[in-house]
Amino acid sequence: MKRSLAILGFAVLLALSFVLPALAAQQELRWGGDTEGGAPYMFQDPKDTSRIIGYEVEIIEAIAKHLGRKPVFVQNGWDNLIPGLQRKLYDVAIDGLEITPEHKQEVNFSIPYYATFLQLAVRRDNKSIESLEDCRGKVVGTLKQAYSHQVLEEFGGIEIRLYEDEINAYSDLVNGRLDATLFDAPIAVFYAGFNPEIKFVGPEIGRMEYGIAVRKEDKELLKGINGAIVALRDSGELRKIYDRWNLWSPMMAKEFNDYRPRQADAVMFNEWAELQKPEFTFRDRMKRYAGFMPVLGRAALTTMKVSIVAMLLAMAFGFVLAVSRVFGPKPLSKLAVAYIETIRGTPVLIQLFFIFYGLPNIGIKLSPFVAGAVGLGLNYAAYEAENYRAGLISVPKAQMEGALALAMTRWQALRHVVIPQAFRLVLPPLTNDFISLLKDSSLVSVITMVDLTKAYGQLATTYYDYFGTGIIVAGIYLLLGLPFVRLARWAEGRLAKVGNMTRVEEETTEDLIASKDGIL
Amino acid sequence: MAPSNQPLIVVDNLCKSFEQGEVLNHISISIREGDLVSIIGPSGCGKSTFLRCLNCLEILDSGTISIAGVTVTRKSPKDPITDDLLEKAHLLRQEVGLVFQIFNLFPHKSVLENVILAPMVVKKESREQAEDNAVRLLKKVGLEDCIHRDPSTLSGGQKQRAAIARALAMNPKVMLYDEPTSALDPELVKEVLQVMRDLDAEGMTQIIVTHEMRFARKASDYIVFMDKGEIVEVDDGDILFTNPKNERTREFLRHFEGDAL
Ligand SMILES: Nc1ncnc2c1ncn2[C@@H]1O[C@H](COP(=O)(O)OP(=O)(O)OP(=O)(O)O)[C@@H](O)[C@H]1O
Ligand SMILES: [Mg+2]
């Protein structure tokens, strides 16, 4: 018991060390975005994956400079950018966020810094689709929760397929699963513009404006940002950024009332275009993958750290639950059962969201790491408790009696005789659970952590390569799990040996617990 | 065999029932220090329950058990089982060793570790002290070659002798055995019975529930015949087997006529 308490204490300390760093410093402008959103918004620099680039990165950095504040990037999933803002993970959110009435109910928006439209794309050999009307009865792919999704729905009669990212949508267009795609024009240009099998058709569709999201109460900040946007527009700085990324359009000319010719070379766009060239040798590819290693290594470390802390927590708390359930007094036992059933009966994803985004409402604000480790740990504790319970009740009753007959107290008998034997029974399922946990830890990417799965998404969108990157990431997961697979095998081997002994007796601790006349 | 006439164990009106009904019905007996007592009787008559009550694995419903100066007493089954009662039960268990039919050795520990565990945990003996004592006891039961083996590698007779050594390590004043040889192949029975004979020679007080009629008759100071939760007859082995006073004893012993008693 002492040792498990020590482990629990250690887990809590470790967890605390991740919460303490202060969340906001005075001079910072913390901005939230999702690097998995991809080019040209924000993505990892293919030349140096530890850097984030994109026209939105340049814009927010220019704004921060104008305000005299230090920009600090905070990663969060695109779907969760607005909840994350409300939860004060960062001061502003920027990532192609459309100014819509729904969004405006939740947060305030700056004046638009960019305006664009939707672009329809089809396969090059397609002759039948030239506009949205032609898409009726056809399958069209788009981004979930985006303006384009809304447009397609309102248009009606179109079979809509929703995607988390553009790359998979465009590859489905090429391989025939989709008849067309509808995406924000910048996305279309950067992700389909270089693909010889795809062509753009039809007129500009709709109009969308990107704004910077600010919490409702931060009126001063909003004023400052609006002032900065106006100043950067008038100084031509914004224009230069758009030119560098080749994002200037007639629509923008009208928006900014700026009809001058190009003000800067499209260097960033050209670099991207260079990357898209098909003549890419095997060696280049290997070199690129080698370049992934620092990013993937860091991500793997995050995955491992959160999994290990969660597992320690699960083992310690699960033990408390199991002992309460099996040997505790009635009310405690019932409480343990209620906990176990509730946790096992609800999705872990909901639990994570609840802990990270829900608990701050009652004043409990956990860092992403702590929320992730605690969320997964509390979840797995319920499963480990059941594991332990199975172990405890499968130790023959005679073992407990043997120990009691030697004048041990109940607790001494549990500690020295029953629990060590139960532990052996429990070790194989425990290690198997750790391997599941390692995989389930990919869920922490929804609460802003960059684990292996998130890093996979980021690299794959940057390089347009879900295939090779996927194999590498799968390999890393396998490698991480391998020691534990071996541990499980070894434990199973040991178990077979001990199992021979205990099978003789059939009555188990369960019967002992059930018998009221026994010495309880 | 019996160095003193002091009663070491006094049982007075011990009653015990389970949900299904009464198992022990007003049992009274006193046993002197150094006695070797065999208990025989038909299956289900309450022999095991009696032993388990004597070492408080089962808490008695009513009556008094007094062993080596520790007294556990309860007026009626309606009396709550108090902390005080449990405390007494725990004290009493330190004076009474119990050996089971199926040994109940701890499979995750070596023979030596089985023997030293309780002295270290309960009596807080140092490891050296406990080991010295354990090695001595294991030699005494003839297991000096098995000290570091896993229990699973022992024969049945060796297991039972290890279990006896384990109980002896707590330095009890009384040893109880519940059919200690029933799970053994016939050729292994002797070595276990010999250990009990040796202990008897050293003056240990022992109660043995057994079906080994020959051993009961030859080795015991006297035999207790139980039936239906009562002590029916207590007598010297030769008398009980040849000329039982009670009709129920006679009836029971008829089953053993074929055996050489
Ligand atoms: N824990 C228990 N709960 C309920 N009933 C029990 C319990 N232990 C024993 N009994 C019952 O008490 C009665 C006496 O059992 P006990 O084991 O003492 O008999 P025994 O004389 O040792 O028999 P055997 O020679 O078969 O071992 C039996 O009817 C048995 O079913
Ligand atoms: Mg019995």
Side-chain angles (χ1 to χ4, degrees):
Chain A
M1 187 59 175
K2 245 183 242 147
R3 194 176 312 158
S4 40
L5 275 181
I7 292 173
L8 184 67
F10 173 72
V12 169
L13 271 184
L14 195 62
L16 277 180
S17 67
F18 290 90
V19 203
L20 292 179
L23 277 180
Q26 213 180 4
Q27 294 294 35
E28 290 180 347
L29 179 66
R30 296 172 63 83
W31 62 279
D34 184 6
T35 55
E36 213 176 322
Y41 303 86
M42 53 189 71
F43 57 107
Q44 288 169 342
D45 184 351
K47 287 188 304 228
D48 172 9
T49 42
S50 65
R51 250 169 49 107
I52 322 160
I53 56 171
Y55 81 94
E56 306 235 341
V57 180
E58 294 179 17
I59 289 175
I60 193 69
E61 283 178 350
I63 290 174
K65 194 166 158 216
H66 187 87
L67 295 176
R69 293 172 70 166
K70 182 167 164 265
V72 175
F73 169 65
V74 180
Q75 163 65 36
N76 196 2
W78 196 76
D79 294 351
N80 290 317
L81 280 176
I82 292 193
L85 179 64
Q86 287 165 325
R87 197 193 173 288
K88 303 197 171 153
L89 291 176
Y90 29 79
D91 308 316
V92 299
I94 175 172
D95 194 353
L97 288 175
E98 299 131 20
I99 305 173
T100 62
E102 295 81 28
H103 282 164
K104 274 209 244 170
Q105 280 175 7
E106 304 291 324
V107 288
N108 279 337
F109 276 95
S110 69
I111 55 169
Y113 60 85
Y114 189 69
T116 185
F117 53 91
L118 297 172
Q119 179 64 59
L120 200 60
V122 297
R123 269 188 307 283
R124 183 152 309 275
D125 55 14
N126 186 312
K127 300 254 153 44
S128 61
I129 297 178
E130 297 207 315
S131 68
L132 219 43
E133 279 81 39
D134 300 334
C135 291
R136 287 223 161 87
K138 299 273 166 53
V139 188
V140 178
T142 191
L143 212 56
K144 83 174 203 207
Q145 285 196 19
Y147 171 65
S148 47
H149 175 199
Q150 202 182 320
V151 167
L152 288 174
E153 255 183 359
E154 279 164 13
F155 197 80
I158 296 172
E159 195 179 324
I160 306 170
R161 290 277 155 77
L162 292 178
Y163 288 81
E164 299 270 352
D165 66 88
E166 52 282 345
I167 293 180
N168 289 326
Y170 283 120
S171 63
D172 277 358
L173 176 62
V174 170
N175 66 33
R177 279 194 214 137
L178 298 174
D179 297 310
T181 59
L182 188 67
F183 275 98
D184 298 17
I187 298 177
V189 169
F190 274 75
Y191 283 93
F194 303 95
N195 193 326
E197 295 178 66
I198 295 176
K199 66 178 179 187
F200 296 150
V201 293
E204 299 176 355
I205 297 170
R207 176 191 163 88
M208 51 216 286
E209 293 173 341
Y210 295 156
I212 296 170
V214 183
R215 276 186 296 276
K216 292 238 156 147
E217 65 267 26
D218 292 341
K219 299 256 160 51
E220 279 306 308
L221 182 60
L222 183 65
K223 221 188 272 170
I225 286 175
N226 281 339
I229 292 175
V230 171
L232 293 169
R233 183 190 68 196
D234 294 346
S235 71
E237 205 166 328
L238 280 182
R239 169 75 199 266
K240 273 193 194 127
I241 293 174
Y242 294 129
D243 279 338
R244 278 153 54 76
W245 290 91
N246 206 23
L247 289 170
W248 197 248
S249 63
M251 190 185 259
M252 279 303 289
K254 207 163 132 210
E255 176 81 18
F256 277 17
N257 195 21
D258 176 355
Y259 296 94
R260 293 174 296 162
R262 179 178 279 286
Q263 296 293 300
D265 288 337
V267 277
M268 300 312 284
F269 179 79
N270 291 339
E271 264 179 27
W272 175 262
E274 198 65 27
L275 264 179
Q276 310 305 317
K277 287 212 181 108
E279 61 268 21
F280 192 59
T281 66
F282 181 73
R283 276 192 63 161
D284 291 339
R285 189 170 286 270
M286 286 303 120
K287 247 211 221 121
R288 171 192 284 179
Y289 289 155
F292 287 0
M293 289 311 152
V295 176
L296 289 178
R298 262 197 309 274
L301 208 65
T302 301
T303 290
M304 210 58 189
K305 262 203 297 210
V306 78
S307 302
I308 287 175
V309 174
M311 196 63 194
L312 289 178
L313 186 68
M315 283 167 65
F317 187 48
F319 179 78
V320 173
L321 283 172
V323 173
S324 307
R325 175 164 187 185
V326 180
F327 298 106
K330 262 265 158 58
L332 192 63
S333 169
K334 285 220 170 105
L335 208 64
V337 173
Y339 178 86
I340 291 166
E341 295 312 325
T342 311
I343 292 291
R344 296 203 306 173
T346 49
V348 60
L349 191 59
I350 304 269
Q351 293 161 14
L352 279 179
F353 274 130
F354 180 80
I355 287 174
F356 192 62
Y357 292 110
L359 286 187
N361 289 326
I362 54 166
I364 302 172
K365 205 162 143 187
L366 303 175
S367 77
F369 181 86
V370 174
V374 167
L376 290 171
L378 291 182
N379 180 272
Y380 268 73
Y383 293 90
E384 294 332 313
E386 287 302 275
N387 247 345
Y388 290 140
R389 190 172 78 96
L392 282 174
I393 64 181
S394 64
V395 174
K397 164 193 176 183
Q399 289 291 314
M400 173 63 104
E401 291 197 334
L404 290 177
L406 289 166
M408 287 188 214
T409 62
R410 247 187 117 63
W411 172 244
Q412 287 168 340
L414 269 177
R415 174 173 164 198
H416 295 284
V417 176
V418 177
I419 289 171
Q421 291 182 60
F423 186 69
R424 277 154 202 248
L425 296 169
V426 174
L427 201 53
L430 206 65
T431 26
N432 285 329
D433 276 357
F434 181 74
I435 296 161
S436 315
L437 176 59
L438 205 58
K439 292 179 287 177
D440 279 356
S441 73
S442 65
L443 290 171
V444 298
S445 58
V446 302
I447 55 170
T448 79
M449 285 177 74
V450 182
D451 72 318
L452 258 184
T453 300
K454 186 70 187 178
Y456 170 43
Q458 291 172 338
L459 288 170
T461 37
T462 303
Y463 292 100
Y464 212 147
D465 177 12
Y466 273 93
F467 184 75
T469 321
I471 291 175
I472 293 174
V473 170
I476 295 178
Y477 268 114
L478 271 178
L479 270 177
L480 291 182
L482 204 61
F484 300 95
V485 174
R486 305 221 64 129
L487 182 63
R489 288 278 150 69
W490 173 82
E492 269 158 18
R494 302 248 349 194
L495 184 61
K497 208 173 111 200
V498 178
N500 290 338
M501 275 227 61
T502 44
R503 212 171 296 140
V504 194
E505 302 107 305
E506 258 137 40
E507 279 182 313
T508 60
T509 308
E510 188 171 34
D511 308 312
L512 184 69
I513 294 152
S515 83
K516 303 228 163 22
D517 285 292
I519 180 157
L520 279 168
Chain B
M1 277 204 283
S4 126
N5 284 328
Q6 268 315 95
L8 183 70
I9 304 173
V10 179
V11 178
D12 186 32
N13 280 307
L14 166 61
C15 294
K16 176 78 188 174
S17 12
F18 295 113
E19 297 90 67
Q20 300 92 317
E22 189 151 69
V23 177
L24 297 178
N25 183 9
H26 296 280
I27 301 261
S28 296
I29 189 170
S30 33
I31 292 170
R32 288 161 304 172
E33 193 174 350
D35 278 356
L36 194 165
V37 182
S38 292
I39 301 180
I40 61 172
S43 180
C45 73
K47 305 183 295 293
S48 296
T49 307
F50 179 48
L51 284 197
R52 291 164 62 84
C53 283
L54 281 187
N55 117 322
C56 289
L57 264 187
E58 306 285 355
I59 295 287
L60 74 177
D61 285 352
S62 65
T64 303
I65 298 170
S66 175
I67 299 179
V70 183
T71 304
V72 176
T73 182
R74 201 170 167 205
K75 292 220 171 53
S76 105
K78 288 186 202 86
D79 287 358
I81 298 178
T82 59
D83 283 349
D84 183 52
L85 187 71
L86 288 176
E87 180 59 36
K88 284 271 169 50
H90 186 239
L91 278 178
L92 186 134
R93 253 189 248 144
Q94 302 195 24
E95 307 293 345
V96 181
L98 176 59
V99 172
F100 301 85
Q101 179 178 348
I102 48 162
F103 331 123
N104 296 7
L105 291 173
F106 307 136
H108 61 302
K109 293 185 176 294
S110 72
V111 170
L112 182 69
E113 287 166 340
N114 262 273
V115 179
I116 63 174
L117 181 64
M120 286 175 62
V121 168
V122 180
K123 296 199 160 167
K124 313 289 178 209
E125 283 182 18
S126 71
R127 178 172 279 272
E128 296 78 48
Q129 194 186 349
E131 279 186 359
D132 284 352
N133 199 28
V135 170
R136 184 178 59 80
L137 290 168
L138 286 168
K139 273 195 187 132
K140 183 166 169 175
V141 299
L143 288 180
E144 55 270 40
D145 297 333
C146 307
I147 285 176
H148 296 293
R149 277 165 63 179
D150 267 1
S152 58
T153 64
L154 301 182
S155 75
Q158 289 170 326
K159 280 180 191 163
Q160 195 57 293
R161 284 183 282 145
I164 293 172
R166 184 175 71 174
L168 288 173
M170 287 297 286
N171 208 7
K173 300 237 167 56
V174 177
M175 287 286 285
L176 311 175
Y177 307 83
D178 191 356
E179 303 193 27
T181 58
S182 297
L184 302 182
D185 294 335
E187 70 271 20
L188 300 177
V189 169
K190 240 197 218 151
E191 59 189 53
V192 173
L193 295 181
Q194 187 56 45
V195 170
M196 291 186 257
R197 283 201 178 90
D198 293 347
L199 286 171
D200 187 46
E202 289 171 18
M204 175 63 80
T205 311
Q206 302 180 90
I207 304 177
I208 303 162
V209 170
T210 187
H211 292 299
E212 293 293 329
M213 294 302 166
R214 199 205 307 235
F215 172 81
R217 181 172 177 178
K218 291 227 174 93
S220 318
D221 292 304
Y222 48 90
I223 295 175
V224 174
F225 172 66
M226 278 181 69
D227 190 21
K228 303 200 175 100
E230 293 168 350
I231 292 181
V232 175
E233 190 167 345
V234 179
D235 233 327
D236 181 80
D238 287 331
I239 299 174
L240 191 117
F241 280 109
T242 52
N243 193 14
K245 295 194 188 74
N246 196 293
E247 183 53 37
R248 278 148 80 184
T249 319
R250 204 177 308 247
E251 176 66 25
F252 172 70
L253 289 172
R254 199 167 294 146
H255 301 295
F256 294 89
E257 252 156 31
D259 288 338
L261 288 176

